[in-house]
Amino acid sequence: MSEPQVIALDAMGGDHGPDVIVPGAAISLVRHPSLSFRLYGDEAKITPVLNKHEAMARRSTVVHTPIAISMEEKPSQALRRGKGSSMWMALEAVKKGEAHAAVSAGNTGALMAMSKLVLRPVADIERPAIAAIWPTVEGECIVLDVGANIGASAQQLTEFALMGAAMARALFHVERPTVGLLNVGVEEIKGNDDVRQAHTMLKDTAGLPIDYKGFIEGDQIGQGVVDVVVVEGFAGNIALRTAEGTAKQIGSYIRSALTRSMLSKLGAVLAQGGLKVLKQKMDPRRVNGGTFLGLGGIAIKSHGGTDALGFASAVDLAYEMAQAGLTARLTADLEAFHGRLATKAAS
Amino acid sequence: MSEPQVIALDAMGGDHGPDVIVPGAAISLVRHPSLSFRLYGDEAKITPVLNKHEAMARRSTVVHTPIAISMEEKPSQALRRGKGSSMWMALEAVKKGEAHAAVSAGNTGALMAMSKLVLRPVADIERPAIAAIWPTVEGECIVLDVGANIGASAQQLTEFALMGAAMARALFHVERPTVGLLNVGVEEIKGNDDVRQAHTMLKDTAGLPIDYKGFIEGDQIGQGVVDVVVVEGFAGNIALRTAEGTAKQIGSYIRSALTRSMLSKLGAVLAQGGLKVLKQKMDPRRVNGGTFLGLGGIAIKSHGGTDALGFASAVDLAYEMAQAGLTARLTADLEAFHGRLATKAAS
C-alpha cells in the first residue's frame, strides 16, 4: 500500500526558507517514513539546517541553485528569470519523474504560472484550479477554485467538479464523491448563466464519476453537506478568506471571553481539555496547502507565512495525493468527460 | 434629535407572521418610545396579538388586507398578484409619506422586486443593492451588495460605495466613512476589469464623500479595517453566508468543547460571564436586517425565520436610518457623483 514517494521541495520558498521547510518536512517524515526528499535551493543555507535534522538528512538529496523567486515578484517577471530557480527545479523534478510531487511555500502567482508551464494542463483543459481543504463539522471537504482564475464557464466548472472529485477520492477514500455547486440560492433560477448551465451539465451528463447534489449556499460549506464544493475563483477566494477571517475573529472573542475575570480564567483552566480540542479544530495549520489541480503532476502550495507544523501538513497532502495516483485518475476522468461532450455534440 | 418616526410593518411576512412581528416591534418601541407603527395584514390575526402588547397597541394603526405574499412565490408572480398585499401596502405607505420606513420579514425576491417598483431607484441608478451589517472585532461594518444582483460594473460598484457610505454615516455617525473594495488580493493587477476600473474610479473621482482605502481581502472584513465593504452580489452573498456558516460551525465546536467532560462543564459554568458576552457577540439576531439601498425610501428585510428579538433589530435599524434622513443624503451623493461623471465625459 505505502510505496516510497519522493517529494521535491522548493527549499527557498516562503517567508522563512529552509528554516521552516526542512523541519516541516522532517515532521512529515516521522508520519510517513517511506518518504524521501529532493531539496532545491542555496546549499549553503540548506545544509546547516539539514545537519540539525539527522533522519531528514539521511532521506534528502540537496540540489544547489543560486536562483530564488521572491514573494513580491509578478508572475510574468518570475517566468522570465525563473528558469533554474528552486521553484522551477522542484516542478521540473516532477515533470522528469524524479519526484512524485512538488511542494512550495513561495509566491502563489509565480508558482501557478510556472506549474502551468512546466507541468502543463492535462486533457486539453483551459484552466487548472487551486483547491483548498476546508474543515467542516463532519470532517473536511474540498473547495475549488479558490483563486487561480476569475470567472469560469459551465464546462470549466464541470471540469473543476471532476478535478475536485479526483482529489476527494484520493483523500477521503470515497469512490463517488458528493459534489455541490456554490450559488446564491438553491432554486434553479438563481445565479448567473455559467452557474445555471453548469448545473444542467452536471445533472444531465451521463456517467460522471460523482454524486451531484445540486446548488449549495455559503453557509453549507462548513456543515460538510458535500465532499466537493465548486465555485469560480473570485467568489471562491473571497469565501475562503472570509471564513479564515471569521474564524480568527471568533478566536479573539473566545480569548477575551475566557480572560474577562478571575472566574472566567479559572473556568478556562478547568475546561482546558475541551478548549484544546477546540483550538486544534480551529488551527489553520492542520489544513495548510492549496493544490493545483488539472496539471500533469502534483504541485502543492503551502502558505508563505506558515511554520514547520503547517508546512508538514502540505507535505502530508503531497504524499497522500501521490500515493493515490491522483494525476492519472484525474486525467482519465477529464478525458472521458470531454469524450462524452464530443459524442453529444456530434449526435 | 429624536423625532417621532412611523414604521410600516408587513405584519404577515416571515415564517411566523404577527406572532413575531408584533412582539418584535414592541421590543423596539421600548428602546425608541417615540416610534409609532402602521401594521398591514389580516386584522383577525393581528388584533389578538396586539391585545397582548398594550403599549404597542396604543402606538399602532392596523390596516386590513386579506392578500399576503408567501415565502415560496417567485418575484414575477408576487408582482402580478401582489398589489394590495401586506408587503405592497407597507412599501406604499413609505411612498405616500405615511411612514418613514418599511420593514418586512417576507420573501426577499418579492420584496426587492416590489420595493423597486413602488419606491423606485433614485438618481437614475440602474440597480439598488442589499446591504448587510457585519459584526467586526472593532464593532460593525456595512457590506454591500449581498445578493440583490449578480455582477456589477465599475460605475455600479462606485454607486454601492456611496450608498454604503450614506448608511455608515447614519449608523456610525462618521462624516467620511472608510470604504474598501473586496478583491482576491491587494495588488492593482488583481481581480476582473470591473473591479480594477472601480478601483480607479473610486481613487480618482474628486469630491466623493468617502475615505477610499483601496482593495481589501475577505479575511479583513471581520477585522473592521473599513466602515464599508463593496462587492458585487454573487461574491457578496457567498461571503455573507460563508461567514454565517463558519460562525455556526465554530459555535458547535465550542459547545462540544465545553461539554466534553465533567471538568469542562464545570469550567464552562465558572466562565459563564465571559461566555455570555461571547454568545451575544455571535448572536445573529443582533444584526438582523438587510437594507435595500438606492431606493426612494427605506425598506428593511428581516430574516424570515427570526424571532421577536431579531425582528426588533430590524425595526431599530429602520428607526436609525429614518432618523438620519438616509434617503435624502444618499440621493444627493449619487446625483453629485453622476454630475461629476458627466462633467468629466464632456471635458
Side-chain angles (χ1 to χ4, degrees):
Chain A
M1 177 84 195
S2 171
E3 289 163 43
Q5 301 288 351
V6 183
I7 309 289
L9 300 174
D10 168 10
M12 310 314 283
D15 299 346
H16 313 290
D19 289 336
V20 157
I21 308 307
V22 173
I27 294 170
S28 189
L29 178 62
V30 175
R31 297 173 190 155
H32 310 292
S34 67
L35 276 176
S36 63
F37 300 96
R38 295 180 68 85
L39 285 83
Y40 297 87
D42 185 344
E43 202 163 8
K45 288 188 180 148
I46 298 169
T47 310
V49 194
L50 212 46
N51 287 340
K52 290 186 225 154
H53 295 83
E54 208 182 313
M56 173 76 193
R58 273 199 303 273
R59 307 287 296 171
S60 299
T61 307
V62 178
V63 184
H64 177 75
T65 169
I67 311 173
I69 303 296
S70 84
M71 296 303 269
E72 291 73 36
E73 271 174 277
K74 288 190 184 169
S76 53
Q77 192 184 348
L79 280 188
R80 267 198 309 277
R81 64 167 218 88
K83 208 172 166 179
S85 64
S86 58
M87 185 185 275
W88 178 282
M89 290 176 83
L91 294 165
E92 211 173 34
V94 176
K95 174 76 183 174
K96 288 182 187 163
E98 293 167 358
H100 299 92
V103 183
S104 174
N107 181 328
T108 308
L111 185 61
M112 182 83 228
M114 263 185 210
S115 301
K116 273 171 82 169
L117 198 66
V118 174
L119 297 175
R120 313 298 303 169
V122 293
D124 294 324
I125 62 163
E126 267 176 61
R127 292 178 170 187
I130 302 180
I133 298 175
W134 192 297
T136 73
V137 292
E138 303 292 331
E140 286 169 348
C141 72
I142 290 162
V143 180
L144 77 167
D145 180 13
V146 294
N149 306 282
I150 307 294
S153 69
Q155 182 175 330
Q156 282 163 351
L157 289 168
T158 307
E159 290 167 354
F160 292 172
L162 291 171
M163 283 148 54
M167 182 165 162
R169 210 172 286 121
L171 298 185
F172 310 150
H173 311 289
V174 281
E175 187 46 33
R176 284 173 67 83
T178 52
V179 174
L181 190 55
L182 197 57
N183 200 352
V184 298
V186 295
E187 303 85 10
E188 300 231 340
I189 54 159
K190 294 278 182 170
N192 61 17
D193 285 349
D194 293 326
V195 169
R196 280 193 301 264
Q197 282 166 21
H199 176 67
T200 306
M201 201 175 261
L202 284 162
K203 207 159 43 85
D204 296 347
T205 308
L208 295 180
I210 59 168
D211 180 8
Y212 178 58
K213 297 291 191 190
F215 292 138
I216 70 162
E217 293 190 69
D219 59 332
Q220 296 179 289
I221 308 173
Q223 289 170 30
V225 294
V226 288
D227 297 318
V228 179
V229 177
V230 172
V231 57
E232 63 79 28
F234 187 83
N237 180 277
I238 285 174
L240 178 67
R241 304 303 305 272
T242 301
E244 286 171 354
T246 305
K248 206 168 146 190
Q249 179 182 354
I250 297 173
S252 82
Y253 291 164
I254 296 174
R255 268 190 302 283
S256 78
L258 295 178
T259 53
R260 204 166 149 265
S261 65
M262 277 311 293
L263 220 51
S264 294
K265 282 180 200 167
L266 180 59
V269 170
L270 292 178
Q272 66 189 348
L275 291 172
K276 201 176 150 198
V277 174
L278 173 66
K279 209 174 160 188
Q280 281 166 355
K281 288 213 179 200
M282 289 179 65
D283 188 347
R285 295 176 305 181
R286 278 184 61 239
V287 287
N288 181 39
T291 309
F292 295 161
L293 290 178
L295 298 171
I298 297 164
I300 307 285
K301 166 70 174 82
S302 160
H303 272 299
T306 197
D307 61 8
L309 210 56
F311 192 76
S313 296
V315 177
D316 289 348
L317 181 59
Y319 169 80
E320 287 182 71
M321 304 223 303
Q323 190 68 31
L326 177 87
T327 308
R329 175 65 196 257
L330 184 150
T331 307
D333 286 351
L334 287 170
E335 280 171 353
F337 166 58
H338 292 162
R340 272 177 215 113
L341 279 189
T343 312
K344 204 175 164 188
S347 72
Chain B
M1 177 83 193
S2 169
E3 289 164 41
Q5 301 288 350
V6 184
I7 309 289
L9 300 174
D10 168 10
M12 310 313 283
D15 299 344
H16 312 290
D19 289 337
V20 157
I21 309 305
V22 172
I27 294 170
S28 189
L29 177 61
V30 174
R31 297 174 190 154
H32 310 292
S34 67
L35 276 176
S36 62
F37 300 96
R38 296 179 69 85
L39 285 84
Y40 297 87
D42 184 345
E43 201 163 8
K45 288 190 178 147
I46 299 170
T47 310
V49 194
L50 212 47
N51 286 341
K52 291 187 224 151
H53 294 85
E54 208 183 312
M56 174 75 194
R58 274 199 304 272
R59 307 287 295 173
S60 299
T61 306
V62 178
V63 184
H64 178 74
T65 171
I67 311 174
I69 303 296
S70 84
M71 295 303 269
E72 291 74 34
E73 271 174 278
K74 287 190 184 169
S76 52
Q77 191 184 351
L79 280 188
R80 268 198 308 278
R81 63 167 217 88
K83 207 173 168 178
S85 64
S86 58
M87 188 185 274
W88 179 283
M89 289 176 82
L91 294 165
E92 210 173 36
V94 176
K95 175 76 182 173
K96 287 182 187 161
E98 293 167 358
H100 299 92
V103 183
S104 174
N107 180 327
T108 309
L111 185 62
M112 183 82 229
M114 263 186 209
S115 301
K116 272 171 82 168
L117 198 67
V118 174
L119 298 175
R120 315 296 305 169
V122 294
D124 293 323
I125 62 162
E126 268 175 61
R127 292 180 167 186
I130 302 180
I133 299 175
W134 192 297
T136 72
V137 292
E138 303 291 332
E140 287 169 347
C141 72
I142 290 161
V143 180
L144 77 167
D145 178 16
V146 294
N149 307 282
I150 307 292
S153 68
Q155 182 175 331
Q156 282 163 350
L157 289 168
T158 307
E159 289 167 355
F160 292 171
L162 292 171
M163 283 148 56
M167 182 165 163
R169 208 171 286 121
L171 298 185
F172 311 149
H173 311 289
V174 280
E175 187 46 34
R176 285 174 68 84
T178 51
V179 174
L181 190 54
L182 197 58
N183 201 352
V184 298
V186 296
E187 304 84 11
E188 302 232 339
I189 53 157
K190 293 278 182 173
N192 61 17
D193 285 349
D194 293 327
V195 169
R196 281 193 300 263
Q197 282 166 20
H199 175 68
T200 307
M201 201 175 260
L202 284 162
K203 208 159 44 85
D204 296 348
T205 309
L208 296 181
I210 59 169
D211 181 6
Y212 178 59
K213 297 291 189 188
F215 293 137
I216 70 162
E217 293 190 68
D219 59 330
Q220 296 179 292
I221 308 174
Q223 290 170 29
V225 295
V226 288
D227 297 318
V228 179
V229 176
V230 172
V231 58
E232 62 79 28
F234 187 83
N237 180 277
I238 285 174
L240 178 67
R241 303 303 304 272
T242 301
E244 286 171 354
T246 305
K248 209 169 144 190
Q249 179 182 356
I250 297 173
S252 82
Y253 292 163
I254 295 175
R255 268 189 305 281
S256 78
L258 295 178
T259 53
R260 206 168 149 264
S261 65
M262 279 309 297
L263 219 54
S264 292
K265 282 182 199 165
L266 179 62
V269 171
L270 292 177
Q272 67 187 345
L275 291 172
K276 201 176 147 196
V277 173
L278 173 65
K279 208 172 158 189
Q280 282 166 356
K281 287 212 178 197
M282 287 179 65
D283 188 346
R285 297 177 304 183
R286 278 182 61 239
V287 287
N288 181 38
T291 310
F292 295 162
L293 289 179
L295 298 170
I298 297 163
I300 307 286
K301 166 70 175 79
S302 161
H303 272 298
T306 197
D307 61 8
L309 209 56
F311 193 76
S313 296
V315 176
D316 289 348
L317 181 59
Y319 169 81
E320 286 181 72
M321 303 223 303
Q323 191 69 29
L326 176 88
T327 309
R329 176 65 196 259
L330 183 151
T331 308
D333 285 351
L334 286 170
E335 280 171 351
F337 167 57
H338 292 162
R340 271 177 218 115
L341 280 189
T343 313
K344 204 175 165 189
S347 72

